[in-house]
Amino acid sequence: TDPSADPAADGEGVTAKPEKKTDDAPPEVVVDVDGLAARVVPVPVVAARYSGMQAGKDCLLWYRSPVSGVLGDTRAGTAEKAERPVLERYDLVRRKLDVIADPVTWAAVSGDGSRLVVRDGASLRVLRTDRPGSAAPGEGDGDEFEIDTRRIVVTVDPAAEWRQMFDEAGRLMRDHFWSPDMAGVDWDAEIARYRPLVDAVGSHDDLVDLMWELQGELGTSHAYVMGRGGGDHTGQPGLLGADLEPADDGWRVVRVLPPETSAPAARSPLSGPGVDVRAGDVILEVGGKQVDPEYGPAPLLVSRADELVELTVRSGPDREDAGEVRRIVVRPLRSEASLRYQDWVAGRRAFVADRSDGRLGYLHVPDMMAPGWAQLHRDLSRETSREGLILDVRGNSGGHTSQLVVEKLARKVIAWDMPRHRQPTTYPEDAPRGPVVALADEFSGSDGDIVTAAIKRLGIGPVVGVRTWGGVIGIDSRYGLVDGTRVTQPRYAFWFDDTQWGVENYGVDPDVEVVIAPQDWVAGRDPQLERAVDMALEALAERPAVRPPDVATRPSRRRPELPPRP
């Protein structure tokens, strides 16, 4: 306005107006903390696995993953692949949920929240966050398009990259090691001592070795350096799930590993319906080619895992059709690990049952993760129904479920469920009825150490074997370096009220030490298991297992006799 036309131009009695802001500064946000928890409202979505929430323009974005089993057994026997996550957008204005990308590997929102970069495998797309849906690649307008990564050229100086990786690994360890003072280690001095060696590194493998040595100065478990992995695995042969030996004109089947029907991966291709290969049969050809007398069928099965393969087989001398040559079709395995593991467990369970006349059950827990939890429950009800229990955690590779395992073992029978037409069951269910004897060895580590220590501390039962691995400072494996190399930082230390910090770098001593000597391995003997069974039977002789009540002791519900009439 013109000051000369204003009667109060001299400023008397006039309140100055604030200047209008012309910048794009975001508005000030004030959080009213009082009562904040009571004002939380749910986002109206169905139950699923949600992760990676990010904020876009007037919306929230997240990954939705299907609810499925960890082991993948729900897809066993089918050609179905695991469902992949999808990227969803919840419009805060319209209160509507839309799928932005299906499937998705990774996504990131721009700083202003208006754009979104979505990766699906090797493809990258730029999308808008203010649209309910996304166009297919090549069908969007100029705001949505596919990024051609072939135009990107990156020059990497390996030596400079290795120096950065070395320093980054040192920073990650400094910032995340469980003890801020690095357990008394002068970490900066150790980094400075090793840093000159980085300039002498000649390969990525050399760098990995160097960082192993550096992190080893902390004297702490779980301080790992893992290379980028990858590589060509096509040279691996498919496997037949059997023990074989050379024969005159082929390779003889010594033993077909028996299937474990509760584990989908534990089934030999030679035991499938219509195949009928038995011990003594001879494999003559694979895919019409003669089996090499020295190397066997393996070279002809390279890269044939999970594919249909024709075998020419001659029946063994002990069969009704001895000498008959026939062709069969099998699907070789990518791995025999599950099959051979279940065979190992079945062998030890049979040994325990035989040595105890069926009085003792046997359970092996291979790890403290989903596979071990599933393995425990595969036979839990049956084996705990026996008078005593052998719990084997030898070779347990650790994890995070030891608390759950201990909770199962520590249950005490306080009652019985007495149904009609069924066997009585304990209350609580799956509680051991009698003594528990545990087995541990030098390969019981991490949560395998912890479960062994807990069994001793809680008095669940004696431990037989040898001292465990001794590594109980855990990790979460969150971080990686610029080229994909993974480094771990021990973050979760463990303290026991009886041994304090003593399990780390030492392990857990057994109550009864039994060493498996080389001659025992060669002969197939298991003296640790033998001793555990004998101890359980001795404990049963002193303290018999609890038994269900005699139904004859039940109270009578018969109507009482009426008194005689006067």
Side-chain angles (χ1 to χ4, degrees):
T1 59
D2 184 2
S4 61
D6 190 338
D10 59 356
E12 289 188 19
V14 176
T15 302
K17 295 181 180 180
E19 295 184 5
K20 184 179 181 179
K21 293 184 178 180
T22 58
D23 59 8
D24 296 328
E28 182 182 4
V29 177
V30 178
V31 178
D32 184 4
V33 178
D34 293 338
L36 180 62
R39 297 194 302 274
V40 172
V41 295
V43 178
V45 294
V46 299
R49 294 175 58 197
Y50 296 101
S51 61
M53 179 182 288
Q54 302 176 68
K57 185 178 181 180
D58 298 327
C59 67
L60 297 174
L61 300 127
W62 54 67
Y63 307 118
R64 176 173 56 82
S65 302
V67 177
S68 60
V70 176
L71 303 182
D73 288 352
T74 54
R75 303 185 308 276
T78 72
E80 295 293 326
K81 294 183 179 180
E83 293 184 62
R84 295 180 55 201
V86 301
L87 182 65
E88 293 185 335
R89 173 186 183 274
Y90 182 73
D91 191 313
L92 294 171
V93 177
R94 298 185 304 125
R95 305 291 179 92
K96 191 173 186 301
L97 184 68
D98 298 290
V99 174
I100 296 292
D102 181 8
V104 64
T105 302
W106 167 88
V109 182
S110 63
D112 63 0
S114 64
R115 297 291 186 272
L116 184 69
V117 175
V118 176
R119 181 167 75 88
D120 176 22
S123 68
L124 283 174
R125 282 188 293 158
V126 173
L127 306 176
R128 288 174 53 171
T129 59
D130 60 349
R131 290 184 174 176
S134 59
E139 297 180 1
D141 56 25
D143 290 338
E144 296 187 342
F145 54 88
E146 189 163 4
I147 301 173
D148 184 4
T149 57
R150 294 174 299 178
R151 297 181 298 157
I152 301 175
V153 178
V154 179
T155 300
V156 176
D157 179 354
E161 186 176 71
W162 294 338
R163 286 192 291 271
Q164 188 276 335
M165 291 169 62
F166 178 88
D167 291 337
E168 180 70 6
R171 285 192 293 269
L172 286 169
M173 187 65 78
R174 177 199 66 196
D175 294 343
H176 298 287
F177 190 74
W178 75 273
S179 175
D181 68 350
M182 307 304 288
V185 176
D186 189 339
W187 187 237
D188 290 336
E190 294 297 340
I191 292 175
R193 187 162 69 95
Y194 277 88
R195 184 176 286 112
L197 296 176
V198 181
D199 293 330
V201 165
S203 69
H204 178 265
D205 288 343
D206 289 346
L207 177 69
V208 169
D209 288 343
L210 178 61
M211 290 194 294
W212 269 110
E213 293 295 326
L214 170 64
Q215 297 192 167
E217 297 293 344
L218 292 167
T220 304
S221 63
H222 296 86
Y224 302 139
V225 182
M226 294 161 282
R228 292 165 294 189
D232 183 5
H233 300 284
T234 58
Q236 296 179 348
L239 303 170
L240 298 177
D243 297 329
L244 308 175
E245 67 179 9
D248 293 337
D249 51 353
W251 274 56
R252 181 181 297 107
V253 176
V254 178
R255 178 172 176 257
V256 177
L257 297 176
E260 170 52 60
T261 55
S262 64
R267 183 179 292 275
S268 169
L270 301 185
S271 65
V275 176
D276 193 27
V277 172
R278 308 176 195 174
D281 292 357
V282 177
I283 300 175
L284 304 174
E285 297 176 349
V286 176
K289 296 182 179 179
Q290 181 68 34
V291 170
D292 187 282
E294 183 175 355
Y295 297 108
L300 301 175
L301 292 170
V302 169
S303 301
R304 303 301 300 274
D306 297 327
E307 297 181 5
L308 293 177
V309 177
E310 183 184 76
L311 303 180
T312 304
V313 179
R314 185 179 66 237
S315 297
D318 297 332
R319 299 184 55 157
E320 295 179 358
D321 57 348
E324 179 180 325
V325 176
R326 66 189 191 282
R327 290 185 175 88
I328 58 175
V329 176
V330 299
R331 194 183 298 274
L333 301 171
R334 193 169 299 277
S335 170
E336 291 179 343
S338 179
L339 181 61
R340 292 193 177 274
Y341 168 72
Q342 295 296 341
D343 181 57
W344 182 87
V345 171
R348 274 140 190 81
R349 178 169 292 134
F351 174 85
V352 170
D354 179 69
R355 193 176 182 90
S356 68
D357 293 327
R359 301 178 67 192
L360 301 178
Y362 172 86
L363 293 171
H364 183 262
V365 186
D367 57 55
M368 293 297 168
M369 296 179 288
W373 189 240
Q375 177 65 27
L376 173 70
H377 286 82
R378 179 171 283 114
D379 305 297
L380 182 65
S381 295
R382 182 185 64 193
E383 299 306 302
T384 54
S385 68
R386 304 186 190 277
E387 296 179 55
L389 180 67
I390 305 297
L391 180 81
D392 194 345
V393 294
R394 292 178 295 181
N396 187 287
S397 58
H400 54 268
T401 61
S402 64
Q403 297 180 60
L404 301 176
V405 174
V406 170
E407 180 184 302
K408 293 278 187 180
L409 297 174
R411 291 179 174 182
K412 301 297 182 183
V413 179
I414 61 171
W416 289 84
D417 184 12
M418 305 290 293
R420 188 174 181 183
H421 305 308
R422 294 181 60 186
Q423 295 294 323
T425 56
T426 62
Y427 180 89
E429 289 186 355
D430 303 331
R433 294 177 49 211
V436 176
V437 179
L439 287 166
D441 64 6
E442 66 272 32
F443 302 111
S444 306
S446 192
D447 219 19
D449 286 300
I450 293 171
V451 75
T452 306
I455 289 170
K456 291 186 61 176
R457 173 65 184 83
L458 296 173
I460 293 173
V463 176
V464 177
V466 296
R467 179 157 54 100
T468 62
W469 178 56
V472 292
I473 301 184
I475 54 178
D476 49 28
S477 303
R478 293 185 181 183
Y479 303 106
L481 304 180
V482 65
D483 72 342
T485 299
R486 307 294 298 180
V487 288
T488 62
Q489 303 80 39
R491 299 183 66 178
Y492 307 98
F494 230 84
W495 182 92
F496 295 89
D497 63 1
D498 54 348
T499 57
Q500 285 77 52
W501 307 102
V503 175
E504 175 70 14
N505 280 335
Y506 181 80
V508 181
D509 284 316
D511 295 292
V512 178
E513 184 178 50
V514 178
V515 177
I516 300 181
Q519 55 269 32
D520 295 321
W521 288 110
V522 172
R525 293 190 296 267
D526 192 340
Q528 293 174 342
L529 188 58
E530 293 174 5
R531 184 64 180 276
V533 171
D534 293 344
M535 289 175 58
L537 292 175
E538 292 169 5
L540 273 176
E542 297 179 5
R543 300 182 305 279
V546 295
R547 297 184 178 278
D550 184 354
V551 294
T553 63
R554 73 191 185 286
S556 174
R557 303 303 179 194
R558 182 179 178 181
R559 187 180 62 193
E561 295 290 340
L562 295 175
R565 291 179 180 273

